[in-house]
Amino acid sequence: MYDAGWAGISWPKAFGGREASLVEQLIYYEEYARAKAPYVGVNFVGLLHGGPTLIVEGTDAQKEKHIPHILRGDQVWCQGFSEPSAGSDLASLRTRAERDGDHYVVNGQKIWTSFAQVADYCELLVRTDPDAPKHRGISWLIMPMDLPGIDVRPLPTLHGEGEFSEVFLDNVRIPVENLVGAENDGWRVTNVTLRFERGTAFAGEMYDLKRWLSEIAAEAQKVTSYGARAWDDAGLRREIGHLQADIDALWNLLKLSIGQADESGVPGVGASAVKLFFTELKQRIGDVAMRVLGRAVLGRSDMAGMPVQYFSYEALQSLSMTIAAGSSQIQRKIIGERILGLPKDK
Amino acid sequence: MAFKLSEEQQELQRGFRDFVAGRFPLERAAEIADGKPDHALWGEVAQMGVFSLRLPESAGGLGLSYVDAALVFEELGRALVPGPTVWTHLATGLIDGAATGETVVTGLDLTTNLHTPYVLENLDAARAVLLLKDDGVFRLDPGSIEAMPVEIPLDPLTPVHHAATLPTGEKIGDAQTASSLSLLGSLLSSAMLLGIAQAASEMAIAYAKERVQFDRPIGSFQAIKHMLADTFVRQELARAAVYSAAGTLDHPEVGDAATAVAEAKLVAGESAMRCCRTSVQVHGGMGYTWEVPVHYFLKRTWVLETTFGTVDEHADRIAATFGG
Ligand SMILES: Cc1cc2nc3c(=O)[nH]c(=O)nc-3n(C[C@H](O)[C@H](O)[C@H](O)COP(=O)(O)OP(=O)(O)OC[C@H]3O[C@@H](n4cnc5c(N)ncnc54)[C@H](O)[C@@H]3O)c2cc1C
């Protein structure tokens, strides 16, 4: 993938990309998903928002050190933004970085850090000026995950396994050259990252909804209840029709909103509309998937040839999507205040 | 029909709630999920009269009503007490030892629109299996079923097996009995769903008061208030539907019990699903962890929602009452 310049197709040619526009990138996702190519998985953070952030905000040295490796998939990244008391209110984060010569000494705790167990680098947000207003004292650092003082403790999800972790930082010394953007200007850089995360990063997963729904429909045509196919239920068929229309509309909305953002290269606030609708749509699809499984939902592993593991994993996973990367409530607030211009609530 | 719980009923509810809260706090449920079974629990639940409570006093029961049974099963649901409590209760009077809990009974309701494979809950613990079919009630020996254990059950507290076919078994009840047991199973499952709806909502409400973001408790945000207000309304609707269905079974002259129970199962099923989902959402990232027990309620909801008729099947039955 990398060798052919496909891994980060919107990325600059100088770094092994193809300089595709965001819209071209979507066409690529369509083809990629259609070919049933593997999901980016652990490379999600690096490929879809860490790398893009470095391209926009990083120094030449940072780009050179990381971008080709992220593309090749031999540098896994994680996102160390959230903290136990700073989730939706990310700017209230407390992890402290104090300057000591040409290093920052970092102390604090991160939580829900996906892939921290396997990551080589972390997009780390720290507080560099505790006296400034909360949005002004934040910096964005590249943290190598093998530094002394980093303790990663897996935090089991409701699946019963670790996808994310808690990350404890005890006097971790990070070179000052790992600062992305200016010191105390991290909030602006963060917003660049978040806009990639909410805007284009989900495109592949969005496209996967199509595949999931068609597998649900195929399964409904197979499973029987009392001799009749689940598919013979007009209510179910109609719902699948609604979902398919919504999936296609969402995909077109994504193209539209990205087309508008293409000039700046950074997805705009319209990304919130896409993220909100996508994540709630995925939950509706999950409900239908569970209905089609009938009593087979009571297992997490496949039974009698039914794709129980796939369907139930995705249905449960969809619950996290309205929480992570800006909850649905926060997206509605952004749409209301920043797109519609409604007054802010006190 | 007047809709007020009597003094005795309120006392029964409180007494039972205190018993399960003391004996089976959520931490115990989590321990069972971690593979530490609680062997004594079943006997103590039986001792409280869960299985025999509707038997006449002359037969060693408590002579209680359907409403009383619903109140008790609501508490079992709220506390996530592991099964097969409903089936063992249904088997009372049909299978020796069920009333005292000595014979653990599980079962399948094939009068509802069941998909194959047949998925059986708590089969390893059971000494008898009840099958409800359109033409009667059948008893199977668990050992006679060629069933495969499911490695990872959805609900960590509800182990399941699946089987492609079932033996015929011994007929121990007629078609009428099968249909009334299905009705009772539906009612008791609805009561458990009501308990779950309330437990999941209460966790969310408590968290919304405590969790601070943007320098205020998240419960002060209108978005959160609205979600929790909606779940409260759903939960109280479920309560009304369940209690009134139970009341209709106690007093068949006041209405059509079959429809009342179908409505209760539908409303309670939707209510529990909504309350659990909202609770996950209100808990934010913590709601997606194993450590915060909301997921147990959600998963148990799926178990109960697929027994004794799903929301869709009950909707079909209700629609059928309009003829056409
Ligand atoms: C699967 C998963 C993976 C994750 N991966 C990462 C990762 O890799 N890196 C990382 O840094 N973080 C990660 N997170 C954390 C995620 O970003 C946070 O969970 C999210 O920001 C929400 O914060 P919180 O969990 O503290 O919830 P809270 O902010 O406490 O929110 C609780 C509830 O309150 C609501 N709420 C909060 N504020 C408002 C408001 N102003 N108005 C209305 N409602 C409000 C929320 O919508 C939610 O329903 C992940 C989370 C999940 C679930």
Side-chain angles (χ1 to χ4, degrees), chain A residues 88 198 272 326-335, chain B residues 214:
Chain A
S88 298
R198 291 170 190 173
S272 285
S327 72
S328 286
Q329 287 68 43
I330 296 298
Q331 304 300 346
R332 288 193 173 89
K333 200 169 140 68
I334 292 174
I335 293 169
Chain B
F214 303 99

Side-chain angles (χ1 to χ4, degrees), chain A residues 31-296:
Chain A
E31 294 304 325
Y32 188 80
R34 222 172 261 156
K36 299 200 176 176
Y39 177 60
V40 290
V42 296
N43 290 319
F44 182 91
V45 172
L47 213 45
L48 301 174
H49 51 83
T53 304
L54 290 188
I55 290 174
V56 178
E57 299 289 338
T59 62
D60 287 343
Q62 288 166 349
K63 288 181 201 171
E64 242 157 77
K65 182 161 175 202
H66 299 287
I67 300 283
H69 294 283
I70 291 175
L71 274 179
R72 228 182 253 131
D74 55 30
Q75 206 180 80
V76 174
W77 280 60
C78 65
Q79 181 181 53
F81 283 14
S82 307
E83 298 180 5
S85 59
S88 298
D89 185 10
L90 181 59
S92 69
L93 63 94
R94 293 185 198 155
T95 292
R96 185 80 173 90
E98 280 166 295
R99 188 78 180 252
D100 178 24
D102 50 8
H103 282 81
Y104 289 106
V105 180
V106 179
N107 284 287
Q109 186 197 340
K110 297 291 171 178
I111 191 171
W112 307 300
T113 320
S114 306
F115 317 121
Q117 307 92 303
V118 294
D120 305 302
Y121 290 90
C122 178
E123 312 171 335
L124 187 72
L125 291 188
V126 292
R127 185 156 301 283
T128 30
D129 183 354
D131 301 321
K134 67 180 182 178
H135 295 93
R136 303 248 172 80
I138 294 172
S139 299
W140 203 112
L141 299 179
I142 301 169
M143 177 170 78
M145 290 296 285
D146 58 0
L147 291 180
I150 302 176
D151 181 11
V152 177
R153 296 183 207 160
L155 180 63
T157 64
L158 50 66
H159 294 287
E161 65 210 24
E163 154 189 335
F164 49 36
S165 294
E166 292 176 280
V167 179
F168 295 85
L169 305 170
D170 179 22
N171 286 319
V172 180
R173 296 181 66 85
I174 302 176
V176 170
E177 68 202 36
N178 287 16
L179 177 68
V180 177
E183 187 175 278
N184 297 327
D185 192 28
W187 188 249
R188 193 189 53 76
V189 183
T190 302
N191 276 302
V192 171
T193 314
L194 290 180
R195 262 145 65 196
F196 279 115
E197 185 178 2
R198 291 170 190 173
T200 41
F202 286 121
E205 281 183 78
M206 265 179 228
Y207 203 79
D208 280 345
L209 293 186
K210 256 187 204 293
R211 175 158 77 105
W212 190 20
L213 190 67
S214 67
E215 297 203 15
I216 292 167
E219 196 55 34
Q221 291 165 16
K222 272 193 264 165
V223 297
T224 55
S225 34
Y226 258 161
R229 295 177 310 164
W231 189 250
D232 295 334
D233 174 353
L236 179 78
R237 285 202 310 272
R238 189 163 293 141
E239 193 148 335
I240 288 178
H242 279 282
L243 292 171
Q244 177 69 12
D246 281 345
I247 291 172
D248 285 337
L250 172 68
W251 189 254
N252 288 322
L253 175 64
L254 178 66
K255 281 186 182 163
L256 215 105
S257 88
I258 278 178
Q260 288 160 354
D262 233 3
E263 283 125 62
S264 68
V266 180
V269 279
S272 285
V274 171
K275 200 266 175 186
L276 176 66
F277 192 76
F278 161 54
T279 55
E280 299 193 346
L281 177 59
K282 183 159 182 184
Q283 292 183 352
R284 287 164 52 208
I285 298 173
D287 284 344
V288 171
M290 295 301 249
R291 257 163 74 189
V292 166
L293 290 179
R295 293 234 337 140

Side-chain angles (χ1 to χ4, degrees), chain B residues 28 31-32 35-40:
Chain B
R28 291 291 305 123
E31 283 169 28
I32 295 183
K36 281 184 231 128
D38 184 340
H39 297 296

